[in-house]
Amino acid sequence: TNRNSLSTTTTSRATMVQQTLTMCRSQNRRRTIRHSQWESKGQSNAAAIFASSWMICLGILFLGLPIFLFADIEVQQVVHKGEHHRKPRETVHPAQIPKVDAIIVGSGMAGQVATLRILDRGGSVILIEKESILGGNSNKASSGINACCLQRDEKFNDTIEEFFHDTLQSAGPHANTALIETLVEHSAAAVNWLYNRVGVDLSQLVLLGGHSKPRTHRPQFGFVGAEIMSPLEAAIYNYDPTGRIKVMLNTQVSKILHNYDDTGVSGVQIKKVHDRHHRKPLNLYANDVIIATGGFASDRSHGSLLEKYRPDLMNLGATAGNFSTGDGIVMAEALGAMTLDMEKVQIHPTGFVDPQQPDNPNKVLAAELLRGVGGILLNRDGQRFCNELGRRNYVVERMLSQKERSDEARRLERGQSGHTFFLVLPADAANEAKSHVSHYLYQNLMTEVIGVQGLSEKIGVSRDIIETTLWQYQTTAETGRDEYGKAVFPGFPLDDFDEEIFVVGEVTPVLHYCMGGIAIDAAGHVLNRNGERIWGLHAAGEVTGGVHGNNRLGGNSLLECAVFGSIVGESIPIVERHYDAHNEKLEVVHPLDSAANQNPLLPVITEAELSRHNTATDSWMAIHGHVYDLTSFLPEHPGGIDSIASLSGMDGTEVFSALHSRRILDRLESQIVGRLDGNAEFDQDSKVNTKHPEENLSLDTVWLHNSEADCWICIHGNVFDVTTFAKTHPGGAHMIHKHCGKDATLEFEVFHKKGIQLLNGIEHLRLGELSMW
């Protein structure tokens, strides 16, 4: 192709020169014929005109020949370099000269991994996100990320072959084995990179549905999505002083630009979201564009991809953010990209039904982890109906086969799913997923009930039915296999059905993931409808198709983002450029004005001042001694607006600590407006509780705080004020309240195998030491 291009270019230049010579000769002949007519008007005049025509012709030749030779040399140089065998790009204007190595559209995990990989190699990136914060749906990921076979997991004897087989079984006949091989073979390297490069804690290992071995990794504290995305984002922003990264928020990519001969891409066209000035779209240029815009499960508008390919699912709720509209797929198709498996939209079996908004189509995912640690599913008759650890498509099929009650039928007529069920966790299972359960309890998506009686009242069936269901499950747990093929029974057996604390939530099948999307090869190159690469166009993450076939295996979504984001990021050609951190940062004509004013001298904010900012339109919150203005962050919070708005004007440290690690606060640094009541500067050892200075406390003093409204407990010689914490305790407030005013060390050790680590999580509640210890 390059030789043909060179030949064509050379021929065109030669033709130009030949045409110039021919024109000059013809003009000379005409002037010679008329020469005799000029003699009467004077020889000198004729000679001057004759000479001037030859000078014009020679000037054209002398100017044209160097252009021809220079252009020829330039083409030969491009062909000689042969970078990825690309065709030479014609630059028609200096503004079109690429100033970065890649433009990345979408800032979920795939986009951010690719960005950081390029930056680490010395490259430059423009990262574009249409929302006001980075992270996309990756912020919401809850269950974990798969990997095989990490050295620390050797005791489970997992193998690449088994991981491949489980993924292939889930994908079904639509599996692309080359992509699956790439996914599983690079899984360990991807997860190790997350730990080594950005320090993500993925120390916990669980077994999810559809897996033959435990291989899903998650953090000890917090949700896996937030715990991964926060340090990734911080690592990217650390490159800001180098001038090699430009992050553009609230910016919509409206078009991906062709290069001059339509064989590849040359950049993107952007516009600002909600642009009040109605400015013209702006073109940004780069030889490589990476699409990482996610799926289309939340677009129920007329003409949407969901309506086009799965109109039967338009009435189902979805866990994806409202921004999941398939933009990247539409733009890639306009360039001639091939799409695959577009009708393959995954229905997740468990999306929470909010009791206050049961018909709201935006659902919060009940993480797969909840079933992995021992949660069981009951229909509205109080009976089990499936292997809770089966693949998602299997569990959904079993759910949809259950008969509907009349109230569900009415809900179906209103346009919502008529199939609702109950997800039930005993206390031990809830404690294994305490971060998740605390979050769901706080959002009123799950409820604690005591014993069989409380469970029967919650579900609305007789006590006898619930008791029979639990006894049958406990019996099969002892034998090792039930009628649905389940062979693992975490969280059981139970000692006393009547005293057991159950955590229960109502769930329904929801749209969760799009298996279909843009066709790619194993290197992440986008393919056209003939199966050929579109030069310079890459894709990674949910926007792609073919990786998951008919059904995505739980835990493979984040893995796909990490693996293919890394592969693409490592493959982008890097051009050496010199950026001055102060004078030559990447700039565009009208980016979002997102730089926050930072005041190194934080003002002291009193509790009275904090309490005045207590609405959704003026929301301040204190966390670990710092006061944050979270007003603009509320609509983008992955956990929903209410979980923050309900704490507006208050100290939210206890609730925050139950759900997140401190490093999540790095993402909110620009929202800090001050420090609370003279707290010391923020550090890992800062104490927030100022009501009771640390001191030696006697057991008699602790005993005085023995009520639900004023609850102190002793653990390992330390005294903690757990009055507020009890409300979010995964094992239930009841488990805390029965120890108010007492030493709970023995019971704490019985229920918490990793007690010291858990105590670190409530260090901010510590009042002092027990004097008799």
Side-chain angles (χ1 to χ4, degrees), residues 132-160:
S132 59
I133 63 169
L134 301 180
N137 285 317
S138 298
N139 283 328
K140 299 181 177 185
S142 55
S143 292
I145 178 172
N146 297 331
C148 174
C149 306
L150 275 63
Q151 186 174 358
R152 64 175 182 262
D153 304 332
E154 288 179 348
K155 63 182 179 180
F156 296 104
N157 298 316
D158 198 8
T159 65
I160 290 292

Side-chain angles (χ1 to χ4, degrees), residues 408-457:
E408 292 178 320
R410 286 194 296 271
R411 185 180 299 168
L412 184 63
E413 291 174 1
R414 293 198 302 269
Q416 301 298 323
S417 172
H419 297 78
T420 61
F421 304 83
F422 293 94
L423 179 60
V424 180
L425 283 76
D428 283 350
N431 186 57
E432 283 295 311
K434 62 184 180 301
S435 294
H436 292 68
V437 171
S438 296
H439 178 63
Y440 301 141
L441 286 171
Y442 182 76
Q443 289 190 307
N444 294 319
L445 298 174
M446 300 192 84
T447 307
E448 292 176 334
V449 298
I450 301 177
V452 173
Q453 184 62 37
L455 196 55
S456 66
E457 291 174 359

Side-chain angles (χ1 to χ4, degrees), residues 511-650:
L511 302 183
H512 182 55
Y513 192 87
C514 299
M515 276 78 70
I518 302 168
I520 60 170
D521 61 17
H525 297 104
V526 173
L527 306 178
N528 65 20
R529 295 181 182 95
N530 296 323
E532 301 167 339
R533 293 179 182 179
I534 298 177
W535 295 110
L537 190 59
H538 316 261
E542 188 181 357
V543 74
T544 66
V547 180
H548 306 292
N550 283 338
N551 182 63
R552 177 175 67 79
L553 195 62
N556 272 354
S557 175
L558 291 182
L559 178 61
E560 175 191 21
C561 294
V563 167
F564 287 96
S566 294
I567 289 174
V568 171
E570 290 291 335
S571 69
I572 298 298
I574 303 299
V575 176
E576 185 176 353
R577 296 179 176 88
H578 298 285
Y579 293 100
D580 185 302
H582 300 287
N583 301 321
E584 296 185 28
K585 283 189 176 184
L586 297 177
E587 296 293 345
V588 294
V589 175
H590 49 77
L592 171 73
D593 297 326
S594 60
N597 293 324
Q598 298 185 5
N599 184 359
L601 300 176
L602 293 175
V604 175
I605 295 176
T606 65
E607 290 186 358
E609 171 66 14
L610 173 64
S611 66
R612 285 194 283 270
H613 303 272
N614 59 4
T615 67
T617 57
D618 182 18
S619 176
W620 287 17
M621 185 193 303
I623 307 173
H624 288 301
H626 273 167
V627 177
Y628 297 81
D629 182 352
L630 301 177
T631 308
S632 61
F633 178 68
L634 254 67
E636 310 298 338
H637 181 231
I641 293 177
D642 292 341
S643 57
I644 292 183
S646 62
L647 292 171
S648 296
M650 302 167 60

